[in-house]
Amino acid sequence: MHGFVIRGIESFLRARHGDAVWQTVCAASGLDRRGAQMMRSYQPDIALRMIQSASVTLRMDRDELLEDIGGWIPRFDSIRHVMRFSGSSFDDFVLSLDDLHDRGRVVLPGLHLPRIDTRVVGPKSYHLSLTTEEADWYPVLAGFLRGMADDYGVLAIVEREAGWLDVRIADDAFAEASHFSLNEIAGAAR
């Protein structure tokens, strides 16, 4: 498991639930409480042990916890900016998810995200399926989509079905979108 994923779970738990929860999760999962190393590879089951321990510690349903983690990801400006490069609208963003697996590997070699198959099933309606047997990715993706919809100012209904997610844009001008400008980002990089 890529350290980026482990570090993301750590960051979420520490920021949202505090260091005491983080230390309990570390003790139960066998992870060093000083924190995960971003570029290190971890045993494949470490993330599963962390999520299980956090779910028990927080007395929270596993899928609910995973969805909260997914919804928290777009709060990082660096991730949000990379994702906003995917399109000027939430529709464009959803349609670009087919490329997320490959883009993730370019940015972080060794990061293996599941492939996403996005199909248009109607006006502003999409059917997303993952090419993985790991069902834990579905609630993470659902939370992530809701977080990105908020960032775009869109009201999106994301429902999990058996083996896929249905995404429907109910209102694409629901709220004010977060400020995002490619010109400002390019100017800051100079």
Side-chain angles (χ1 to χ4, degrees):
M1 177 66 63
H2 198 289
F4 180 75
V5 174
I6 304 303
R7 185 62 177 260
I9 297 169
E10 173 192 346
S11 297
F12 168 80
L13 291 172
R14 285 183 145 174
R16 293 290 300 269
H17 300 287
D19 283 334
V21 167
W22 169 245
Q23 290 178 14
T24 301
V25 168
C26 287
S29 62
L31 191 66
D32 187 332
R33 67 184 171 87
R34 291 175 292 179
Q37 296 176 18
M38 184 104 83
M39 298 310 288
R40 179 180 167 199
S41 290
Y42 289 85
Q43 294 295 321
D45 67 335
I46 190 71
L48 299 174
R49 292 195 320 248
M50 291 172 70
I51 295 300
Q52 180 61 33
S53 174
S55 177
V56 169
T57 301
L58 296 169
R59 296 185 179 114
M60 189 175 203
D61 177 74
R62 180 184 184 87
D63 282 357
E64 184 181 342
L65 175 64
L66 290 166
E67 193 167 321
D68 281 356
I69 291 170
W72 185 74
I73 293 169
R75 294 179 184 206
F76 285 101
D77 280 343
S78 57
I79 294 174
R80 182 177 72 85
H81 289 159
V82 169
M83 294 295 104
R84 290 293 294 262
F85 275 107
S86 300
S88 60
S89 70
F90 186 69
D91 290 281
D92 291 342
F93 168 75
V94 172
L95 290 170
S96 76
L97 290 173
D98 289 359
D99 300 328
L100 186 60
H101 173 269
D102 294 330
R103 285 187 283 149
R105 290 180 63 187
V106 167
V107 174
L108 286 172
L111 178 64
H112 297 289
L113 298 174
R115 290 193 181 276
I116 301 171
D117 178 39
T118 306
R119 289 188 298 134
V120 178
V121 294
K124 299 192 177 291
S125 295
Y126 307 93
H127 180 94
L128 280 64
S129 58
L130 301 173
T131 57
T132 181
E133 296 297 319
E134 297 175 32
D136 286 347
W137 283 105
Y138 280 100
V140 173
L141 181 58
F144 179 68
L145 286 165
R146 288 186 181 107
M148 288 304 297
D150 288 347
D151 197 69
Y152 278 97
V154 169
L155 176 60
I157 311 300
V158 181
E159 297 178 318
R160 185 173 173 196
E161 302 295 333
W164 72 82
L165 293 176
D166 282 325
V167 180
R168 185 173 50 84
I169 299 173
D171 186 350
D172 54 9
F174 181 71
E176 186 175 340
S178 296
H179 180 71
F180 179 76
S181 169
L182 293 176
N183 292 333
E184 288 178 16
I185 292 170
R190 290 182 189 170

